[in-house]
Amino acid sequence: MTVALVAGFMTLLDVSIVNVALPSIRDDLHLSSSELQWVLSGYALTFGLLLVPAGRFGDARGRRNVFIAGLAVFTLASAAAGLATTATWLVIARLVQGAAAGVVNPQVSGLIQQLFEPKERGRPFGLLGATIGISTAVGPLLGGLLIQIFGAAEGWRWIFYINVPIGLAAIALGTKWIPGRAEEEKEREGLDPVGVVLLGAGVILLLLPLVQEREWHGQAKWLLVVAAAIVLAGFVAWERHLKGAPLVDLSLFQHRSYGLGAIIGLLYFGGFTSIFFTFTLLLQSGLHYSALEAGLAVTPFALGSAAASAIGGRVVNRYGRPLVVIGLIAVIAGLVGTDLVVDHGGWATAVPLLIAGLGSGLVISPNQTLTLAEVPVRRAGSAGAVLQTGQRIGTAIGIAAVGSVFFNRLAHHGGDWVQAFRTSLWVTIAFVAVAFVAAAADVFAARHDRASLPA
């Protein structure tokens, strides 16, 4: 579990740690705005693309070897990114990094399902939730710290170099500690190549206009979303009528806990990750904080998330989905509080961000535990990968929507960074509020089911 969580932390950290380094990368390699966008969003694109096929492959052929292979590629791509001398070199390294992260991550949730009995999974899923929340929130702090230590010109390279020794250690220890699978236990069924192609095409068509929202002008880009819907409908039809082992077991969505849990994850990640995108921009570009100061300002969220995730993982089996509802209420309260005090500067947001972080810790890991509770172990990797794909899509949708409101407000209201952030923050709150409605619906439905049981 230690090896799996460290690897998961490292791959998820690279989603957010690059944010504070973008000005340094732009100045050092003379990147255009489009190239800079690809450094940031290319990682998310290939990450989301590989999650489900890699999860299914790990289920069928054994998770350890897939985990080690993905980790090895991620480590090599990190070294290549740190050594980059041109924009093209860095973008390609980031695309490979993201693809490798997409291979590693579904094995982590699959290993939890494999190694722990259902009643024991709350604590490891709590640790996984803490890993997800902390890696996203603490990325700007670690990035700022590295730039502060090594300077603007070299600090951004160390953001990638730091993955190399950690990756090598994780490969060695993972090979030693993570159990393999006996040859006779491996599935001999096909791996559904048609489903892989259809899902991959659908995910690319959906994510491309979202991650390129600010670079591709005009409305024609949204036709790709329509095309994505058509391709994904074709994918669902193919999976439903496939004879053999499907890429995604669609019967999982017949379980209310899985279907609503996936929706909650998509919506919550649409809100929660966009906070750090706009808040970091406000602090560095609007309020002229250093990279380290910007990272420190979001640390209360990370601390709150870590503490609450550990608690949430221990008590989720006792309280169930109401725990997620409480967490979402706390996140909304913290974000509203942030809106009320941000006029007084980034440091004034410490307490409301701490409250939001505490709420976040009660959302991510308990939701993951509850959503995967009824999933059979043989489908654990692909089921967890579907959840993570939804989270990546939610992240892309949230950043596109919140970023669009943020930059439009900034352009049309005299460059007022604080007001631009406050306006976009309410889009974030809207995402979290809809996730709250989905969680509350699950709670009420469960109560109705219990009430209708014969005495």
Side-chain angles (χ1 to χ4, degrees):
M1 271 304 300
T2 302
V3 174
L5 291 176
V6 167
F9 179 85
M10 184 170 63
T11 56
L12 290 166
L13 184 71
D14 268 52
V15 175
S16 63
I17 195 172
V18 176
N19 282 330
V20 295
L22 291 179
S24 301
I25 295 172
R26 180 191 59 212
D27 295 342
D28 194 26
L29 298 184
H30 310 292
L31 269 65
S32 67
S33 59
S34 177
E35 290 166 336
L36 207 61
Q37 176 74 3
W38 271 102
V39 169
L40 191 62
S41 60
Y43 184 90
L45 184 67
T46 52
F47 193 150
L49 181 63
L50 267 289
L51 281 166
V52 176
R56 177 71 186 92
F57 192 80
D59 288 344
R61 299 293 190 262
R63 298 183 180 103
R64 182 183 66 182
N65 291 343
V66 179
F67 176 85
I68 297 298
L71 199 51
V73 174
F74 183 87
T75 303
L76 287 171
S78 297
L83 293 168
T85 56
T86 66
T88 302
W89 180 341
L90 181 58
V91 169
I92 291 173
R94 285 287 285 171
L95 290 171
V96 175
Q97 240 196 336
V103 172
V104 170
N105 270 273
Q107 315 315 323
V108 177
S109 58
L111 283 167
I112 292 175
Q113 300 279 87
Q114 176 184 324
L115 298 175
F116 295 89
E117 294 295 326
K119 64 177 188 273
E120 300 173 330
R121 290 175 191 158
R123 188 177 180 189
F125 270 127
L127 293 172
L128 178 59
T131 299
I132 295 170
I134 295 170
S135 63
T136 304
V138 85
L141 173 61
L142 290 181
L145 189 62
L146 289 170
I147 290 172
Q148 184 78 15
I149 293 170
F150 294 103
E154 287 296 318
W156 71 266
R157 297 182 183 276
W158 281 95
I159 283 173
F160 302 113
Y161 288 150
I162 199 170
N163 292 332
V164 176
I166 299 172
L168 292 173
I171 290 168
L173 295 175
T175 304
K176 180 179 179 181
W177 287 340
I178 295 176
R181 182 181 296 188
E183 194 66 28
E184 61 271 15
E185 294 178 349
K186 295 179 182 179
E187 291 184 19
R188 295 302 171 200
E189 298 169 307
L191 292 173
D192 189 12
V194 175
V196 170
V197 171
L198 287 172
L199 181 63
V203 170
I204 287 177
L205 289 170
L206 181 59
L207 287 179
L208 262 180
L210 294 170
V211 300
Q212 290 293 102
E213 193 268 335
R214 284 189 291 132
E215 296 298 325
W216 292 355
H217 303 293
Q219 300 303 311
K221 60 177 176 282
W222 300 117
L223 293 174
L224 292 178
V225 175
V226 178
I230 294 170
V231 172
L232 291 174
F235 167 75
V236 170
W238 170 261
E239 295 294 287
R240 289 180 64 183
H241 296 96
L242 177 67
K243 300 195 185 309
L247 181 64
V248 176
D249 185 355
L250 297 177
S251 66
L252 291 173
F253 289 93
Q254 295 174 6
H255 298 291
R256 188 181 65 242
S257 62
Y258 188 83
L260 279 175
I263 292 171
I264 292 166
L266 185 150
L267 290 166
Y268 183 67
F269 272 77
F272 131 85
T273 49
S274 62
I275 301 166
F276 308 105
F277 172 61
T278 53
F279 193 49
T280 303
L281 282 172
L282 165 67
L283 295 174
Q284 288 190 270
S285 300
L287 302 180
H288 308 294
Y289 283 34
S290 69
L292 179 58
E293 289 172 332
L296 286 170
V298 299
T299 301
F301 188 102
L303 294 175
S305 180
S309 291
I311 297 169
R314 291 175 182 274
V315 302
V316 61
N317 290 325
R318 187 188 311 169
Y319 296 107
R321 192 76 74 186
L323 192 66
V324 178
V325 172
I326 292 169
L328 290 166
I329 291 171
V331 173
I332 292 170
L335 296 182
V336 171
T338 300
D339 174 72
L340 295 175
V341 302
V342 73
D343 282 332
H344 301 289
W347 305 117
T349 64
V351 172
L353 283 180
L354 176 63
I355 293 169
L358 289 168
S360 186
L362 297 180
V363 174
I364 296 175
S365 60
N367 185 63
Q368 185 115 349
T369 305
L370 295 166
T371 304
L372 295 176
E374 298 179 40
V375 173
V377 172
R378 63 188 177 83
R379 289 287 179 263
S382 54
V386 170
L387 289 188
Q388 291 190 50
T389 302
Q391 292 168 4
R392 300 279 76 77
I393 291 171
T395 297
I397 292 172
I399 289 177
V402 173
S404 177
V405 170
F406 181 87
F407 288 109
N408 284 337
R409 172 79 186 189
L410 194 63
H412 294 101
H413 293 83
D416 189 333
W417 288 86
V418 172
Q419 288 307 312
F421 171 73
R422 292 182 67 187
T423 304
S424 67
L425 186 59
W426 282 96
V427 181
T428 296
I429 292 170
F431 274 102
V432 181
V434 180
F436 164 78
V437 171
D442 190 30
V443 171
F444 287 125
R447 287 180 179 173
H448 179 268
D449 290 347
R450 286 195 298 270
S452 61
L453 290 174

